[in-house]
Structures are given as C-alpha cells and as structure tokens.
C-alpha cells in the first residue's frame, strides 16, 4: 500500500524562465530554492515556494541534442501552459504497481517507459491517460523542500 502526501509542485512550461522568475519575485516575493539546468529532463527550471504551494516554472533547455525532448515537444505544441502536478508518496514502487495494474504507462525522468519492479525515486504518467501528467516522487531524493523544515512558515504570504 502507498500513501499520497503533500503536494510536491505544480509545473508550468514558459517561454522565458528568467522573465517568469522575475515576475514571481516582483508579485509574490517567493522563496526560490532551486534554479538550474537538468540534463536528464531537458529543461531549465526553478522551484519556488509561495505560501504552502511549490511552483516549478520550466522551459526547454537550449542545448542540442536534448537527452529528453518531452518538455520541448510540449512547449512546441502548447506554448506557455500548465504541464503537470506532482505529489510526494511514501512508496514509489507500490504506486507504480497500482498504476501499472490499471494499464497506465509510466515514465522515468528521461521519458523512457518503465514497468514495476524498478528502482525509481519518481515516476510520471502519460498525460493522455490521466487527464494531465501526474508525477509521484519520494521525498528526500530531490532538492530539500523548505516546507519540510522545522522553521518553515507561510506567514509572509
């Protein structure tokens, strides 16, 4: 059995990450705890906290060849648009088994199909099968989430 926990992040694909980051800073005075390039995902992104919500604005990486062109394909097809929603789960393997039992395709960070059993710390669904892409990730295997710190407060917002 698995437990779905706290919302990890809501992702949206943007044309210009620097401009969107500046907008979030100006409007919401965010706490940014990541900004960088992820080669395996083929994207540049930020992770920002606004109250109790984490947003992940991202744009396709401007490198060739891309190891994973899925963000670029999404951007080329839909432009700036919400992309996916992610939750923390306590057992990625167990949720993978459950989703697989419903004949849903599961993907790893480079966009390759995976089937349980596997040793993934996060899995993604295909957006056509789940009315949008869903991500399920184990907490602690990524950048530390400031909301999990003992001194976290959403009071500034």
């Amino acid at each position: 059995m698995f437990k779905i926990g706290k919302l990890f992040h809501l992702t949206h694909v943007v044309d210009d990450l620097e401009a969107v980051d500046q907008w979030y800073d100006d409007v919401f005075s965010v706490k940014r705890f990541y900004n960088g390039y992820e080669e395996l995902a083929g994207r540049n992104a930020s992770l920002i906290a606004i109250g109790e919500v984490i947003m992940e604005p991202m744009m396709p990486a401007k490198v060739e060849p891309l190891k994973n062109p899925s963000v670029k394909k999404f951007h080329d097809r839909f432009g700036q648009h919400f992309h996916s929603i992610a939750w923390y789960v306590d057992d990625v393997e167990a949720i993978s088994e459950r989703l697989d039992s419903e004949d849903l395709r599961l993907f790893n960070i480079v966009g390759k199909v995976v089937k349980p059993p596997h040793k993934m710390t996060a899995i993604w669904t295909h957006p056509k099968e789940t009315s949008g892409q869903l991500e399920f990730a184990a907490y602690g295997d990524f950048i530390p989430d400031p909301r999990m710190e003992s001194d976290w407060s959403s009071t500034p917002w």
Side-chain angles (χ1 to χ4, degrees), residues 57-112:
M58 70 177 178
M59 63 182 266
K62 296 187 185 298
V63 298
E64 293 294 334
L66 285 169
K67 285 191 176 186
N68 180 351
S70 61
V71 174
K72 182 176 181 338
K73 286 180 183 177
F74 183 93
H75 181 266
D76 290 350
R77 183 169 182 193
F78 299 109
Q80 296 193 116
H81 205 280
F82 281 113
H83 178 269
S84 58
I85 189 167
W87 289 273
Y88 291 120
V89 294
D90 66 343
D91 189 336
V92 175
E93 189 72 33
I95 198 165
S96 296
E97 289 170 3
R98 177 70 175 109
L99 296 170
D100 184 65
S101 75
E102 296 294 324
D103 296 320
L104 296 172
R105 289 177 286 172
L106 304 175
F107 299 87
N108 65 12
I109 195 169
V110 295
K112 302 294 182 202

Short mmCIF file of all heavy atoms in Angstrom, two decimals, residues 57-112:
data_model
loop_
_atom_site.label_atom_id
_atom_site.label_comp_id
_atom_site.label_asym_id
_atom_site.label_seq_id
_atom_site.Cartn_x
_atom_site.Cartn_y
_atom_site.Cartn_z
N PRO A 57 8.21 26.67 -12.54
CA PRO A 57 8.24 27.15 -13.91
C PRO A 57 9.46 26.53 -14.60
O PRO A 57 10.53 26.41 -14.01
CB PRO A 57 8.38 28.67 -13.76
CG PRO A 57 8.91 28.89 -12.39
CD PRO A 57 8.51 27.71 -11.56
N MET A 58 9.26 26.09 -15.84
CA MET A 58 10.37 25.50 -16.58
C MET A 58 10.26 25.82 -18.05
O MET A 58 9.18 26.13 -18.56
CB MET A 58 10.43 23.99 -16.37
CG MET A 58 9.32 23.20 -17.01
SD MET A 58 9.60 21.44 -16.74
CE MET A 58 8.14 20.77 -17.51
N MET A 59 11.39 25.76 -18.72
CA MET A 59 11.43 25.97 -20.16
C MET A 59 12.35 24.92 -20.76
O MET A 59 13.23 24.39 -20.07
CB MET A 59 11.89 27.38 -20.52
CG MET A 59 13.30 27.71 -20.09
SD MET A 59 13.77 29.41 -20.50
CE MET A 59 14.54 29.15 -22.07
N PRO A 60 12.14 24.59 -22.04
CA PRO A 60 13.05 23.63 -22.67
C PRO A 60 14.48 24.14 -22.62
O PRO A 60 14.73 25.34 -22.81
CB PRO A 60 12.55 23.55 -24.11
CG PRO A 60 11.20 24.15 -24.12
CD PRO A 60 11.13 25.09 -22.97
N ALA A 61 15.41 23.25 -22.35
CA ALA A 61 16.82 23.62 -22.36
C ALA A 61 17.22 23.99 -23.78
O ALA A 61 16.72 23.41 -24.76
CB ALA A 61 17.67 22.47 -21.85
N LYS A 62 18.11 24.92 -23.89
CA LYS A 62 18.57 25.36 -25.21
C LYS A 62 19.92 24.73 -25.52
O LYS A 62 20.90 25.41 -25.78
CB LYS A 62 18.65 26.88 -25.26
CG LYS A 62 17.29 27.54 -25.10
CD LYS A 62 17.35 29.02 -25.32
CE LYS A 62 16.06 29.71 -25.05
NZ LYS A 62 14.94 29.37 -25.82
N VAL A 63 19.95 23.39 -25.45
CA VAL A 63 21.13 22.62 -25.79
C VAL A 63 20.73 21.55 -26.80
O VAL A 63 19.58 21.13 -26.84
CB VAL A 63 21.77 21.94 -24.55
CG1 VAL A 63 22.23 22.97 -23.54
CG2 VAL A 63 20.82 20.96 -23.91
N GLU A 64 21.65 21.17 -27.62
CA GLU A 64 21.40 20.12 -28.60
C GLU A 64 22.52 19.11 -28.52
O GLU A 64 23.67 19.51 -28.37
CB GLU A 64 21.31 20.71 -30.01
CG GLU A 64 20.10 21.60 -30.25
CD GLU A 64 18.78 20.87 -30.20
OE1 GLU A 64 18.73 19.64 -30.47
OE2 GLU A 64 17.77 21.52 -29.88
N PRO A 65 22.26 17.85 -28.63
CA PRO A 65 20.92 17.27 -28.65
C PRO A 65 20.36 17.13 -27.23
O PRO A 65 21.12 16.99 -26.28
CB PRO A 65 21.16 15.88 -29.26
CG PRO A 65 22.54 15.52 -28.82
CD PRO A 65 23.31 16.83 -28.75
N LEU A 66 19.05 17.18 -27.12
CA LEU A 66 18.40 17.01 -25.83
C LEU A 66 18.31 15.52 -25.52
O LEU A 66 17.89 14.73 -26.37
CB LEU A 66 16.98 17.58 -25.87
CG LEU A 66 16.86 19.10 -25.82
CD1 LEU A 66 15.43 19.51 -26.13
CD2 LEU A 66 17.29 19.62 -24.47
N LYS A 67 18.69 15.13 -24.32
CA LYS A 67 18.55 13.73 -23.91
C LYS A 67 17.08 13.36 -23.76
O LYS A 67 16.69 12.23 -23.94
CB LYS A 67 19.28 13.47 -22.59
CG LYS A 67 20.76 13.38 -22.75
CD LYS A 67 21.41 12.85 -21.50
CE LYS A 67 22.89 12.70 -21.76
NZ LYS A 67 23.58 12.07 -20.66
N ASN A 68 16.27 14.35 -23.38
CA ASN A 68 14.84 14.14 -23.21
C ASN A 68 14.12 15.33 -23.84
O ASN A 68 14.08 16.41 -23.26
CB ASN A 68 14.50 14.03 -21.72
CG ASN A 68 13.03 13.82 -21.47
OD1 ASN A 68 12.20 13.90 -22.36
ND2 ASN A 68 12.69 13.56 -20.22
N PRO A 69 13.53 15.14 -25.02
CA PRO A 69 12.86 16.26 -25.70
C PRO A 69 11.41 16.50 -25.29
O PRO A 69 10.72 17.30 -25.90
CB PRO A 69 12.94 15.84 -27.17
CG PRO A 69 12.86 14.35 -27.13
CD PRO A 69 13.62 13.96 -25.87
N SER A 70 10.93 15.84 -24.23
CA SER A 70 9.50 15.93 -23.91
C SER A 70 9.05 17.34 -23.54
O SER A 70 7.96 17.76 -23.93
CB SER A 70 9.11 14.92 -22.83
OG SER A 70 9.80 15.18 -21.64
N VAL A 71 9.85 18.10 -22.79
CA VAL A 71 9.46 19.47 -22.44
C VAL A 71 9.42 20.33 -23.70
O VAL A 71 8.51 21.13 -23.90
CB VAL A 71 10.41 20.07 -21.39
CG1 VAL A 71 10.09 21.54 -21.13
CG2 VAL A 71 10.33 19.28 -20.09
N LYS A 72 10.39 20.17 -24.58
CA LYS A 72 10.41 20.93 -25.84
C LYS A 72 9.19 20.58 -26.70
O LYS A 72 8.55 21.46 -27.25
CB LYS A 72 11.69 20.66 -26.62
CG LYS A 72 11.77 21.46 -27.91
CD LYS A 72 13.08 21.26 -28.62
CE LYS A 72 13.24 22.05 -29.90
NZ LYS A 72 12.07 22.50 -30.57
N LYS A 73 8.86 19.30 -26.78
CA LYS A 73 7.68 18.88 -27.56
C LYS A 73 6.42 19.51 -26.98
O LYS A 73 5.57 19.99 -27.73
CB LYS A 73 7.55 17.36 -27.55
CG LYS A 73 8.55 16.65 -28.43
CD LYS A 73 8.35 15.16 -28.35
CE LYS A 73 9.36 14.39 -29.13
NZ LYS A 73 9.19 12.93 -29.00
N PHE A 74 6.30 19.50 -25.65
CA PHE A 74 5.14 20.11 -25.00
C PHE A 74 5.09 21.59 -25.32
O PHE A 74 4.04 22.12 -25.71
CB PHE A 74 5.21 19.88 -23.49
CG PHE A 74 4.02 20.42 -22.75
CD1 PHE A 74 2.94 19.62 -22.48
CD2 PHE A 74 3.99 21.75 -22.31
CE1 PHE A 74 1.83 20.11 -21.80
CE2 PHE A 74 2.89 22.25 -21.63
CZ PHE A 74 1.81 21.43 -21.38
N HIS A 75 6.22 22.28 -25.17
CA HIS A 75 6.27 23.72 -25.43
C HIS A 75 5.94 24.02 -26.89
O HIS A 75 5.18 24.95 -27.19
CB HIS A 75 7.64 24.28 -25.06
CG HIS A 75 7.75 25.75 -25.28
ND1 HIS A 75 8.26 26.29 -26.44
CD2 HIS A 75 7.40 26.81 -24.50
CE1 HIS A 75 8.22 27.60 -26.36
NE2 HIS A 75 7.71 27.94 -25.20
N ASP A 76 6.50 23.26 -27.81
CA ASP A 76 6.23 23.48 -29.23
C ASP A 76 4.76 23.30 -29.57
O ASP A 76 4.22 24.00 -30.41
CB ASP A 76 7.08 22.54 -30.10
CG ASP A 76 8.56 22.88 -30.07
OD1 ASP A 76 8.94 23.95 -29.54
OD2 ASP A 76 9.35 22.05 -30.57
N ARG A 77 4.11 22.38 -28.88
CA ARG A 77 2.71 22.09 -29.18
C ARG A 77 1.74 23.04 -28.47
O ARG A 77 0.75 23.48 -29.04
CB ARG A 77 2.38 20.65 -28.78
CG ARG A 77 0.98 20.26 -29.12
CD ARG A 77 0.76 18.79 -28.98
NE ARG A 77 -0.59 18.47 -29.37
CZ ARG A 77 -1.16 17.32 -29.13
NH1 ARG A 77 -0.50 16.36 -28.55
NH2 ARG A 77 -2.41 17.12 -29.50
N PHE A 78 2.02 23.36 -27.18
CA PHE A 78 1.06 24.11 -26.38
C PHE A 78 1.52 25.50 -25.97
O PHE A 78 0.72 26.27 -25.43
CB PHE A 78 0.71 23.32 -25.11
CG PHE A 78 0.10 21.98 -25.38
CD1 PHE A 78 0.81 20.82 -25.14
CD2 PHE A 78 -1.19 21.87 -25.89
CE1 PHE A 78 0.26 19.58 -25.38
CE2 PHE A 78 -1.76 20.63 -26.14
CZ PHE A 78 -1.03 19.48 -25.88
N GLY A 79 2.79 25.83 -26.14
CA GLY A 79 3.30 27.12 -25.68
C GLY A 79 3.33 27.17 -24.16
O GLY A 79 3.49 26.15 -23.50
N GLN A 80 3.17 28.38 -23.61
CA GLN A 80 3.14 28.53 -22.15
C GLN A 80 1.84 27.93 -21.63
O GLN A 80 0.75 28.38 -22.02
CB GLN A 80 3.24 30.01 -21.76
CG GLN A 80 4.54 30.64 -22.17
CD GLN A 80 4.76 31.97 -21.52
OE1 GLN A 80 5.69 32.12 -20.75
NE2 GLN A 80 3.93 32.95 -21.81
N HIS A 81 1.98 26.95 -20.76
CA HIS A 81 0.81 26.21 -20.35
C HIS A 81 1.13 25.39 -19.10
O HIS A 81 2.27 24.96 -18.94
CB HIS A 81 0.42 25.25 -21.49
CG HIS A 81 -1.00 24.86 -21.51
ND1 HIS A 81 -1.51 23.89 -20.69
CD2 HIS A 81 -2.04 25.27 -22.27
CE1 HIS A 81 -2.80 23.73 -20.95
NE2 HIS A 81 -3.14 24.56 -21.91
N PHE A 82 0.13 25.15 -18.25
CA PHE A 82 0.37 24.22 -17.14
C PHE A 82 0.73 22.86 -17.71
O PHE A 82 0.16 22.42 -18.72
CB PHE A 82 -0.84 24.13 -16.21
CG PHE A 82 -0.93 25.29 -15.28
CD1 PHE A 82 -1.96 26.20 -15.38
CD2 PHE A 82 0.04 25.48 -14.30
CE1 PHE A 82 -2.03 27.28 -14.52
CE2 PHE A 82 -0.01 26.56 -13.44
CZ PHE A 82 -1.05 27.47 -13.56
N HIS A 83 1.65 22.20 -17.07
CA HIS A 83 2.22 20.96 -17.59
C HIS A 83 1.86 19.73 -16.75
O HIS A 83 1.40 18.73 -17.28
CB HIS A 83 3.74 21.12 -17.65
CG HIS A 83 4.48 19.92 -18.12
ND1 HIS A 83 4.96 18.96 -17.26
CD2 HIS A 83 4.85 19.54 -19.36
CE1 HIS A 83 5.59 18.03 -17.95
NE2 HIS A 83 5.54 18.36 -19.22
N SER A 84 2.08 19.81 -15.44
CA SER A 84 1.90 18.62 -14.61
C SER A 84 1.76 19.01 -13.15
O SER A 84 2.04 20.15 -12.76
CB SER A 84 3.08 17.66 -14.77
OG SER A 84 4.29 18.31 -14.43
N ILE A 85 1.33 18.02 -12.37
CA ILE A 85 1.22 18.20 -10.93
C ILE A 85 1.90 17.00 -10.28
O ILE A 85 1.83 15.88 -10.79
CB ILE A 85 -0.26 18.34 -10.49
CG1 ILE A 85 -0.36 18.74 -9.03
CG2 ILE A 85 -1.05 17.09 -10.82
CD1 ILE A 85 -1.74 19.20 -8.61
N ALA A 86 2.60 17.27 -9.17
CA ALA A 86 3.37 16.22 -8.51
C ALA A 86 3.03 16.16 -7.03
O ALA A 86 2.80 17.18 -6.39
CB ALA A 86 4.87 16.50 -8.68
N TRP A 87 3.02 14.93 -6.51
CA TRP A 87 2.82 14.68 -5.09
C TRP A 87 3.96 13.86 -4.55
O TRP A 87 4.56 13.04 -5.26
CB TRP A 87 1.53 13.89 -4.84
CG TRP A 87 0.28 14.63 -5.08
CD1 TRP A 87 -0.39 15.43 -4.21
CD2 TRP A 87 -0.48 14.62 -6.29
NE1 TRP A 87 -1.52 15.93 -4.81
CE2 TRP A 87 -1.61 15.44 -6.09
CE3 TRP A 87 -0.34 14.01 -7.53
CZ2 TRP A 87 -2.56 15.66 -7.05
CZ3 TRP A 87 -1.29 14.23 -8.51
CH2 TRP A 87 -2.38 15.04 -8.26
N TYR A 88 4.22 14.04 -3.27
CA TYR A 88 5.11 13.13 -2.57
C TYR A 88 4.33 11.86 -2.24
O TYR A 88 3.15 11.92 -1.90
CB TYR A 88 5.62 13.75 -1.26
CG TYR A 88 6.56 14.90 -1.45
CD1 TYR A 88 6.26 16.16 -0.95
CD2 TYR A 88 7.77 14.74 -2.12
CE1 TYR A 88 7.13 17.23 -1.10
CE2 TYR A 88 8.65 15.80 -2.28
CZ TYR A 88 8.32 17.03 -1.77
OH TYR A 88 9.19 18.08 -1.92
N VAL A 89 4.99 10.73 -2.35
CA VAL A 89 4.41 9.45 -1.95
C VAL A 89 5.43 8.72 -1.07
O VAL A 89 6.63 8.94 -1.19
CB VAL A 89 4.01 8.56 -3.15
CG1 VAL A 89 2.87 9.19 -3.94
CG2 VAL A 89 5.19 8.27 -4.06
N ASP A 90 4.92 7.86 -0.23
CA ASP A 90 5.83 7.13 0.65
C ASP A 90 6.42 5.89 0.00
O ASP A 90 7.40 5.34 0.48
CB ASP A 90 5.13 6.77 1.97
CG ASP A 90 3.99 5.79 1.80
OD1 ASP A 90 3.51 5.61 0.66
OD2 ASP A 90 3.56 5.20 2.81
N ASP A 91 5.82 5.43 -1.13
CA ASP A 91 6.30 4.20 -1.76
C ASP A 91 6.08 4.30 -3.28
O ASP A 91 5.00 4.00 -3.77
CB ASP A 91 5.55 3.00 -1.17
CG ASP A 91 6.11 1.66 -1.58
OD1 ASP A 91 6.77 1.58 -2.65
OD2 ASP A 91 5.88 0.69 -0.84
N VAL A 92 7.11 4.74 -3.99
CA VAL A 92 7.01 4.90 -5.45
C VAL A 92 6.75 3.55 -6.12
O VAL A 92 5.97 3.46 -7.07
CB VAL A 92 8.28 5.57 -6.02
CG1 VAL A 92 8.25 5.63 -7.55
CG2 VAL A 92 8.43 6.97 -5.45
N GLU A 93 7.38 2.51 -5.63
CA GLU A 93 7.18 1.17 -6.20
C GLU A 93 5.73 0.72 -6.09
O GLU A 93 5.14 0.23 -7.05
CB GLU A 93 8.10 0.17 -5.51
CG GLU A 93 8.14 -1.18 -6.17
CD GLU A 93 8.90 -1.19 -7.50
OE1 GLU A 93 9.87 -0.44 -7.64
OE2 GLU A 93 8.49 -1.95 -8.40
N ALA A 94 5.12 0.93 -4.92
CA ALA A 94 3.74 0.49 -4.70
C ALA A 94 2.77 1.27 -5.58
O ALA A 94 1.85 0.69 -6.17
CB ALA A 94 3.36 0.63 -3.23
N ILE A 95 2.92 2.58 -5.69
CA ILE A 95 2.00 3.34 -6.55
C ILE A 95 2.23 2.97 -8.01
O ILE A 95 1.30 2.92 -8.81
CB ILE A 95 2.07 4.86 -6.30
CG1 ILE A 95 0.81 5.51 -6.89
CG2 ILE A 95 3.33 5.49 -6.85
CD1 ILE A 95 0.55 6.91 -6.42
N SER A 96 3.47 2.67 -8.36
CA SER A 96 3.77 2.22 -9.73
C SER A 96 3.03 0.93 -10.04
O SER A 96 2.45 0.77 -11.12
CB SER A 96 5.27 2.01 -9.92
OG SER A 96 5.97 3.20 -9.77
N GLU A 97 3.05 0.00 -9.10
CA GLU A 97 2.35 -1.27 -9.29
C GLU A 97 0.85 -1.04 -9.46
O GLU A 97 0.22 -1.66 -10.32
CB GLU A 97 2.63 -2.21 -8.12
CG GLU A 97 4.05 -2.73 -8.12
CD GLU A 97 4.43 -3.46 -6.83
OE1 GLU A 97 3.56 -3.63 -5.95
OE2 GLU A 97 5.61 -3.85 -6.72
N ARG A 98 0.29 -0.15 -8.66
CA ARG A 98 -1.15 0.14 -8.76
C ARG A 98 -1.50 0.77 -10.09
O ARG A 98 -2.47 0.38 -10.75
CB ARG A 98 -1.57 1.05 -7.60
CG ARG A 98 -3.01 1.46 -7.64
CD ARG A 98 -3.92 0.28 -7.33
NE ARG A 98 -5.28 0.73 -7.26
CZ ARG A 98 -6.22 0.46 -8.17
NH1 ARG A 98 -5.93 -0.29 -9.20
NH2 ARG A 98 -7.43 0.94 -8.03
N LEU A 99 -0.73 1.76 -10.52
CA LEU A 99 -0.99 2.42 -11.80
C LEU A 99 -0.77 1.45 -12.97
O LEU A 99 -1.55 1.44 -13.93
CB LEU A 99 -0.10 3.65 -11.95
CG LEU A 99 -0.37 4.77 -10.93
CD1 LEU A 99 0.71 5.84 -11.02
CD2 LEU A 99 -1.75 5.38 -11.11
N ASP A 100 0.25 0.62 -12.87
CA ASP A 100 0.51 -0.39 -13.90
C ASP A 100 -0.65 -1.39 -13.99
O ASP A 100 -1.02 -1.81 -15.08
CB ASP A 100 1.82 -1.10 -13.60
CG ASP A 100 2.20 -2.10 -14.69
OD1 ASP A 100 2.46 -1.66 -15.84
OD2 ASP A 100 2.23 -3.32 -14.39
N SER A 101 -1.25 -1.73 -12.85
CA SER A 101 -2.38 -2.67 -12.86
C SER A 101 -3.60 -2.10 -13.58
O SER A 101 -4.49 -2.84 -14.00
CB SER A 101 -2.76 -3.07 -11.43
OG SER A 101 -3.46 -2.03 -10.77
N GLU A 102 -3.62 -0.76 -13.72
CA GLU A 102 -4.69 -0.10 -14.47
C GLU A 102 -4.27 0.16 -15.92
O GLU A 102 -4.92 0.93 -16.64
CB GLU A 102 -5.06 1.23 -13.79
CG GLU A 102 -5.65 1.07 -12.41
CD GLU A 102 -7.00 0.36 -12.42
OE1 GLU A 102 -7.79 0.58 -13.37
OE2 GLU A 102 -7.26 -0.41 -11.48
N ASP A 103 -3.17 -0.47 -16.33
CA ASP A 103 -2.64 -0.37 -17.70
C ASP A 103 -2.24 1.06 -18.08
O ASP A 103 -2.37 1.46 -19.24
CB ASP A 103 -3.63 -0.94 -18.73
CG ASP A 103 -3.85 -2.42 -18.53
OD1 ASP A 103 -2.87 -3.13 -18.22
OD2 ASP A 103 -5.01 -2.88 -18.67
N LEU A 104 -1.76 1.80 -17.10
CA LEU A 104 -1.25 3.15 -17.38
C LEU A 104 0.24 3.07 -17.66
O LEU A 104 0.97 2.34 -16.96
CB LEU A 104 -1.50 4.07 -16.18
CG LEU A 104 -2.97 4.33 -15.86
CD1 LEU A 104 -3.10 5.09 -14.57
CD2 LEU A 104 -3.65 5.07 -17.01
N ARG A 105 0.68 3.81 -18.65
CA ARG A 105 2.11 3.87 -18.94
C ARG A 105 2.79 4.76 -17.91
O ARG A 105 2.28 5.81 -17.55
CB ARG A 105 2.35 4.43 -20.35
CG ARG A 105 1.95 3.48 -21.45
CD ARG A 105 2.15 4.11 -22.80
NE ARG A 105 1.09 5.11 -23.01
CZ ARG A 105 1.05 5.95 -24.02
NH1 ARG A 105 2.02 5.96 -24.92
NH2 ARG A 105 0.06 6.81 -24.16
N LEU A 106 3.97 4.34 -17.50
CA LEU A 106 4.77 5.08 -16.53
C LEU A 106 6.11 5.40 -17.16
O LEU A 106 6.66 4.60 -17.92
CB LEU A 106 4.98 4.24 -15.26
CG LEU A 106 3.70 3.74 -14.60
CD1 LEU A 106 4.04 2.84 -13.43
CD2 LEU A 106 2.84 4.91 -14.15
N PHE A 107 6.65 6.57 -16.80
CA PHE A 107 7.89 7.06 -17.41
C PHE A 107 8.88 7.47 -16.33
O PHE A 107 8.49 7.89 -15.25
CB PHE A 107 7.58 8.27 -18.32
CG PHE A 107 6.66 7.91 -19.44
CD1 PHE A 107 5.29 7.97 -19.28
CD2 PHE A 107 7.17 7.51 -20.67
CE1 PHE A 107 4.43 7.63 -20.31
CE2 PHE A 107 6.32 7.18 -21.71
CZ PHE A 107 4.96 7.24 -21.53
N ASN A 108 10.17 7.42 -16.70
CA ASN A 108 11.21 7.92 -15.81
C ASN A 108 11.57 9.35 -16.21
O ASN A 108 10.94 9.92 -17.10
CB ASN A 108 12.43 6.99 -15.79
CG ASN A 108 13.15 6.93 -17.13
OD1 ASN A 108 12.92 7.73 -18.04
ND2 ASN A 108 14.04 5.96 -17.26
N ILE A 109 12.59 9.91 -15.58
CA ILE A 109 12.94 11.31 -15.80
C ILE A 109 13.40 11.60 -17.23
O ILE A 109 13.30 12.73 -17.70
CB ILE A 109 14.00 11.79 -14.77
CG1 ILE A 109 14.09 13.33 -14.77
CG2 ILE A 109 15.34 11.12 -15.02
CD1 ILE A 109 14.88 13.90 -13.63
N VAL A 110 13.90 10.61 -17.94
CA VAL A 110 14.34 10.84 -19.32
C VAL A 110 13.25 10.50 -20.33
O VAL A 110 13.48 10.49 -21.53
CB VAL A 110 15.66 10.11 -19.67
CG1 VAL A 110 16.80 10.65 -18.85
CG2 VAL A 110 15.52 8.62 -19.52
N GLY A 111 12.04 10.20 -19.85
CA GLY A 111 10.92 9.95 -20.75
C GLY A 111 10.84 8.53 -21.28
O GLY A 111 10.09 8.27 -22.21
N LYS A 112 11.56 7.61 -20.67
CA LYS A 112 11.52 6.20 -21.09
C LYS A 112 10.47 5.47 -20.27
O LYS A 112 10.32 5.68 -19.06
CB LYS A 112 12.88 5.52 -20.88
CG LYS A 112 14.02 6.19 -21.62
CD LYS A 112 13.86 6.06 -23.11
CE LYS A 112 15.06 6.69 -23.82
NZ LYS A 112 14.80 7.06 -25.16
#
